[in-house]
Amino acid sequence: MSEDLKLTILKRLDSDGLIESTRVAFKDVPEETVLGALKSLESQEKVSYKTLTTEFWTIEPEGKDQLENGSYEARIFAAVPAGSQGVSMKDLEAQFGKVAKLGQGKCMAEKWLKKDGDMLVRLVDSVVDQVKANLEVVNAEGMHPDPSVIKDLKRRKLIKANKILSYAVKKGADFSTELKKQATDLTLEMLQSGAWKSSEFKKFNFDSLGVNAAGGHLHPLMKVREEFRQ
């Protein structure tokens, strides 16, 4: 799969000159597989690439509840009968639990309801559940065109941010559609046959640090000598 993918990337670059997004070009291939192929091609200077980060939003559990059943404020408003009769906060809390207080506060801020003694009564005949409408947009599109809406939904912990990684790819300094197996060592056979002249060698990173050598152990006789010295 890896070799086939690398060839596919090279052929796409050969025909199009540029891959704007690997997520679009290779949507059925996992991004980690694409990245592995790109790193291998980059080490051969056949391609260069840069990382693209796309942010999208998903609905949190509390948001899903409001997406399906309406926002807290819309539910509380709907539970208050029209006219001056109203309903007590105690009755709302018995019916809705913690949602009652959260929804009531938002209704008051939006001037949908007012307090009349111990009762909540309507100030308007009907309302638009904009929170639910906004959640429907985010659920369908992964975003919302109004940044202030995203900010509000995030503040209310109804949505969360996620990131998608993709890669923009262009031709490298040694671009070609031919893949050669790179040699990792110069062998005696290569020197004797002259094959080293046409071989392509994998580049070495001379700046990398080697593995720390483990400490050795004293010979038993040396241990005895150390004991006498001490």
Side-chain angles (χ1 to χ4, degrees), residues 2-50:
S2 179
E3 294 299 307
D4 291 341
L5 178 58
K6 285 190 277 189
L7 281 172
T8 301
I9 291 171
L10 293 174
K11 289 178 180 178
R12 177 68 68 91
L13 284 174
D14 190 45
S15 62
D16 298 346
L18 175 70
I19 298 174
E20 293 184 355
S21 170
T22 54
R23 189 170 183 84
V24 175
F26 311 110
K27 61 183 179 179
D28 295 326
V29 183
E31 283 302 316
E32 58 269 22
T33 303
V34 173
L35 179 59
L38 291 177
K39 285 183 175 180
S40 176
L41 291 172
E42 185 184 47
S43 70
Q44 302 174 48
E45 296 187 345
K46 291 188 177 296
V47 306
S48 64
Y49 68 92
K50 66 177 181 179

Side-chain angles (χ1 to χ4, degrees), residues 20-27 29-32 34-35 50-58 141-143 160-168:
E20 293 184 355
S21 170
T22 54
R23 189 170 183 84
V24 175
F26 311 110
K27 61 183 179 179
V29 183
E31 283 302 316
E32 58 269 22
V34 173
L35 179 59
K50 66 177 181 179
T51 304
L52 307 174
T53 303
T54 304
E55 188 175 64
F56 71 102
W57 298 86
T58 53
E141 305 293 336
M143 58 178 293
K160 69 174 179 178
N162 299 268
K163 290 183 179 180
I164 296 176
L165 293 181
S166 184
Y167 307 95

